[in-house]
Amino acid sequence: AIERAKEQDGPVVIHAKTVKGKGYEPAEEDPVRYHGVGAFMKAASPVSQIPTYTEVFGKYLVSMAKNDSRIVGITAAMPDGTGLSYLAKEVPDRFYDTGIAEQHSVTFAAGLACEGARPVCAIYSTFLQRGFDQVEHDVCIQNLPVMFVMDRAGLVGADGQTHHGVFDIAYLRSLPNMVLMAPKDEQELRDMMKTGLSIDGPSAIRYPRGNAVGVELVEPEVLSIGKSEDIKTYQSSEIAIFAYGTMVQHAIKASQTLSRDHGILVDVINARFAKPLDNEKIAELFSAKKLVVTLEDHSLIGGFGSAVLEAVSDMELLNAASCIRMGIPDRFIEHATQAEQYEDCGISVQAIVEKILSSALALGLCNEAAIVSSGSSSY
């Protein structure tokens, strides 16, 4: 067909039928499930009992929609990847798929919000970039109550460079009226969904690809806008990790390792919000601590850590605690597992421990003896 098309003098359309999963029967029968799949052993792969963040979002949105007739779900050809397929099945008259047209999804959501709906616009973090102009002009300028839900935020492992959601904080926090949130676990995701739908203006929630933490789910509550959460605090600690979103789990593990193996006490604070920031907590940390570490799975340029340092500058606290920003470096991250990508970017638990140890030593907050791990020389 291609050879014949080359011989024609005018425009030619070649219509080819694509069979997704061609050659592998399970993939042919269920191409959605096998659209992006990691390595597995067919006969022995255990099924995790911990739900994915996508499942938690999708199922709770159905529950919310059944109790609030204003809620509608919108996506751009990502119903399964975002979890909106649950809404499509349970409440089909309030589910809209615009196709691969993120810009239209956002403008459509704005139009529905103008007429009293509470749109939930679910688009991968990396693809919402396509609708930035509409987020600004159609939603934020009018201060409309559209809630953006960004799946695949952070490093996505096998999906590769095009799918890393590592720029959304930077491109959204510059917009007036926007509230930005990121949960530390699946319960907090549900809390933030309830919070976002209570705000009379635009909001956005980011969460990672993959399984959640496995915490018990209870009745969600509306969070105080711009207020962080103390996860672990020590009265005598001189170091704190101010973490955003899923990186709170890395911060907790790093703090445990530093305490157990090195005798160094490190506070852990869950930021919850990148905009508005908890300036009261920031002022407290930079006044009371000697080292503050910001931690995020987002580009360091324009990200959560940058926002914190801007706040520190605005509050004239630059001569207070030393600050280290940990996040995604200024380069595109290669295809690998999530664990390998965390290591590559220096935000694995071990990398966090090593960075805090070296910084604490340089600042005189510990001595050489503390660097040697009890029973281990891995650091």
Side-chain angles (χ1 to χ4, degrees), residues 332-365:
F332 291 106
I333 308 305
E334 296 291 337
H335 180 106
T337 66
Q338 277 183 315
E340 289 169 335
Q341 289 166 347
Y342 288 143
E343 190 66 38
D344 177 37
C345 293
I347 53 174
S348 65
V349 173
Q350 179 175 324
I352 297 165
V353 169
E354 291 176 350
K355 185 65 174 179
I356 290 177
L357 284 173
S358 63
S359 298
L361 181 63
L363 291 169
L365 303 180

Side-chain angles (χ1 to χ4, degrees), residues 222-376:
V222 174
L223 303 175
S224 297
I225 304 298
K227 290 298 180 183
S228 61
E229 174 194 33
D230 289 341
I231 299 293
K232 182 186 292 290
T233 59
Y234 300 96
Q235 188 172 2
S236 58
S237 172
E238 296 181 298
I239 304 171
I241 304 175
F242 199 25
Y244 188 54
T246 189
M247 287 290 104
V248 171
Q249 302 303 326
H250 282 210
I252 292 171
K253 293 174 183 175
S255 176
Q256 291 170 340
T257 299
L258 286 161
S259 174
R260 181 189 65 240
D261 296 346
H262 305 281
I264 297 175
L265 303 180
V266 177
D267 291 357
V268 176
I269 295 88
N270 169 24
R272 283 182 169 168
F273 295 86
K275 185 180 183 180
L277 287 168
D278 189 344
N279 285 339
E280 183 178 347
K281 175 57 69 174
I282 291 172
E284 175 189 323
L285 291 176
F286 277 80
S287 298
K289 304 298 178 183
K290 294 184 178 179
L291 175 63
V292 176
V293 178
T294 65
L295 181 61
E296 61 193 301
D297 55 344
H298 181 280
S299 170
L300 284 170
I301 296 177
F304 170 70
S306 292
V308 170
L309 284 185
E310 289 166 14
V312 169
S313 176
D314 291 342
M315 291 185 283
E316 299 182 356
L317 295 170
L318 288 176
N319 293 323
S322 295
C323 182
I324 297 171
R325 294 180 304 130
M326 301 189 72
I328 310 300
D330 185 25
R331 56 183 170 83
F332 291 106
I333 308 305
E334 296 291 337
H335 180 106
T337 66
Q338 277 183 315
E340 289 169 335
Q341 289 166 347
Y342 288 143
E343 190 66 38
D344 177 37
C345 293
I347 53 174
S348 65
V349 173
Q350 179 175 324
I352 297 165
V353 169
E354 291 176 350
K355 185 65 174 179
I356 290 177
L357 284 173
S358 63
S359 298
L361 181 63
L363 291 169
L365 303 180
C366 68
N367 53 39
E368 290 281 356
I371 301 298
V372 180
S373 174
S374 58
S376 171

Side-chain angles (χ1 to χ4, degrees), residues 114-319:
C114 284
E115 296 302 315
R118 295 304 302 250
V120 177
C121 195
I123 298 175
Y124 293 176
S125 165
T126 188
F127 296 147
L128 185 59
Q129 293 160 197
R130 298 169 179 169
F132 175 79
D133 184 67
Q134 288 72 26
V135 174
E136 178 192 352
H137 288 151
D138 299 340
V139 177
C140 289
I141 286 179
Q142 299 186 84
N143 198 26
L144 294 173
V146 176
M147 184 169 76
F148 296 98
V149 177
M150 299 176 290
D151 203 308
R152 270 65 167 180
L155 298 169
V156 296
D159 280 348
Q161 295 182 36
T162 60
H163 282 55
H164 292 314
V166 297
F167 306 112
D168 56 88
I169 301 172
Y171 70 72
L172 289 177
R173 75 179 181 89
S174 63
L175 299 177
N177 297 325
M178 181 65 77
V179 173
L180 300 182
M181 300 172 274
K184 69 179 186 297
D185 57 38
E186 58 267 46
Q187 174 59 41
E188 200 162 68
L189 170 58
R190 285 157 48 106
D191 293 339
M192 289 179 176
M193 290 172 65
K194 189 169 184 176
T195 302
L197 287 168
S198 73
I199 297 171
D200 290 326
S203 62
I205 306 171
R206 75 187 315 262
Y207 56 81
R209 176 190 184 191
N211 293 101
V213 178
V215 300
E216 180 182 358
L217 296 178
V218 298
E219 183 63 27
E221 62 180 12
V222 174
L223 303 175
S224 297
I225 304 298
K227 290 298 180 183
S228 61
E229 174 194 33
D230 289 341
I231 299 293
K232 182 186 292 290
T233 59
Y234 300 96
Q235 188 172 2
S236 58
S237 172
E238 296 181 298
I239 304 171
I241 304 175
F242 199 25
Y244 188 54
T246 189
M247 287 290 104
V248 171
Q249 302 303 326
H250 282 210
I252 292 171
K253 293 174 183 175
S255 176
Q256 291 170 340
T257 299
L258 286 161
S259 174
R260 181 189 65 240
D261 296 346
H262 305 281
I264 297 175
L265 303 180
V266 177
D267 291 357
V268 176
I269 295 88
N270 169 24
R272 283 182 169 168
F273 295 86
K275 185 180 183 180
L277 287 168
D278 189 344
N279 285 339
E280 183 178 347
K281 175 57 69 174
I282 291 172
E284 175 189 323
L285 291 176
F286 277 80
S287 298
K289 304 298 178 183
K290 294 184 178 179
L291 175 63
V292 176
V293 178
T294 65
L295 181 61
E296 61 193 301
D297 55 344
H298 181 280
S299 170
L300 284 170
I301 296 177
F304 170 70
S306 292
V308 170
L309 284 185
E310 289 166 14
V312 169
S313 176
D314 291 342
M315 291 185 283
E316 299 182 356
L317 295 170
L318 288 176
N319 293 323

Side-chain angles (χ1 to χ4, degrees), residues 57-58 61-62 64-66 68-79 82-89 91-99 105-106 108-109 112 117-123 146-149 193 197:
F57 160 72
L61 184 63
V62 169
M64 298 181 83
K66 288 181 176 179
D68 187 341
S69 61
R70 301 173 302 162
I71 293 175
V72 296
I74 303 168
T75 192
M78 305 169 220
T82 61
L84 280 188
S85 54
Y86 292 103
L87 186 71
K89 181 179 180 180
V91 195
D93 59 325
R94 282 188 275 143
F95 164 76
Y96 300 94
D97 186 346
T98 67
S105 290
V106 177
F108 179 47
L112 292 178
R118 295 304 302 250
V120 177
C121 195
I123 298 175
V146 176
M147 184 169 76
F148 296 98
V149 177
M193 290 172 65
L197 287 168

Side-chain angles (χ1 to χ4, degrees), residues 17-23 28:
K17 179 182 178 182
T18 299
V19 179
K20 294 200 72 171
K22 180 66 175 177
E28 289 187 32

